[in-house]
Amino acid sequence: MQEPTGAALSAQHTPDDDGTPAASSRSGVLRRYVLAAIITLVLDQASKVWALGALGDGRVRPLIGDLLSLRLIHNSGAAFSIGDSMTWLMSLIAVMVTLAILWASRRVGSRRWALALGLLLGGSLGNLVDRFFRDPGPLRGHVVDFIDYGGLFVGNIADIAIVAGAGLLIWLVFTNVGLDGSRPQHATGGATDE
């Protein structure tokens, strides 16, 4: 049997963020990424189908007093209805963000990064499905939103996944976990990190 060399050898001995060897967990990392994206996308689209049927009468259904309720809207813009007159531009930005998430996933070696990127991808795809396949047409479709947060804004499951994924991503950056799962060691004795 041939000995692993170069990058393969270093990849096998580079620990993941949870202490497992990165090479042996690569398939687990990718599986977590894909599962997070698929589960998010399915939950988002299923909840939107439900909302269209159950909330189509226009009534607001309180869940927790005035803090949280269900109210169906069709959002032509981004979060907080920003850019509602430029739906096609919001759609193109969402496509670019989705492509950036897919590009970053090629280097992911951390289960936590895989979860964060999977949530971001699933949420982004959930809203992109609406942009492409809902009225009034491709790149101009309105996103189905139905979770009303005390009148501040109305969102959906995709938005929750995007916020959760972004929060986890920020936490990983601040705790110094690299995309590949490594944790660069701070040098002691006057040496500097490379």
Side-chain angles (χ1 to χ4, degrees):
M1 189 162 118
Q2 187 176 3
E3 289 292 318
T5 59
L9 181 61
S10 64
Q12 283 182 328
H13 299 292
T14 302
D16 192 359
D17 54 18
D18 60 1
T20 59
S24 64
S25 66
R26 178 73 178 150
S27 64
V29 168
L30 290 176
R31 197 170 21 254
R32 182 174 289 202
Y33 168 73
V34 170
L35 277 175
I38 290 172
I39 289 169
T40 299
L41 178 60
V42 168
L43 287 176
D44 176 66
Q45 290 301 304
S47 66
K48 288 172 179 175
V49 168
W50 171 83
L52 288 167
L55 305 173
D57 59 8
R59 293 187 322 159
V60 176
R61 291 174 175 77
L63 294 177
I64 305 174
D66 292 334
L67 294 177
L68 189 67
S69 59
L70 299 175
R71 175 171 64 101
L72 181 65
I73 67 166
H74 299 274
N75 186 356
S76 61
F80 306 106
S81 295
I82 295 170
D84 59 352
S85 63
M86 299 181 350
T87 304
W88 64 271
L89 180 59
M90 296 295 112
S91 299
L92 291 178
I93 290 170
V95 167
M96 288 187 290
V97 167
T98 302
L99 291 174
I101 295 166
L102 287 168
W103 179 82
S105 72
R106 299 177 316 134
R107 293 187 34 229
V108 72
S110 158
R111 290 183 176 136
R112 293 176 192 144
W113 272 96
L115 179 59
L117 292 175
L119 288 170
L120 288 170
L121 179 63
S124 179
L125 288 173
N127 286 335
L128 268 179
V129 166
D130 289 7
R131 295 283 184 214
F132 277 92
F133 298 108
R134 295 203 188 274
D135 288 334
L139 291 178
R140 297 175 295 122
H142 295 180
V143 173
V144 174
D145 287 333
F146 60 94
I147 305 170
D148 188 334
Y149 297 91
L152 297 174
F153 60 93
V154 182
N156 55 43
I157 301 297
D159 299 333
I160 293 170
I162 290 168
V163 169
L168 179 55
L169 187 145
I170 291 167
W171 178 74
L172 290 168
V173 169
F174 279 107
T175 56
N176 205 27
V177 176
L179 186 61
D180 63 355
S182 65
R183 287 183 179 262
Q185 299 296 317
H186 294 286
T188 57
T192 58
D193 289 348
E194 292 186 21

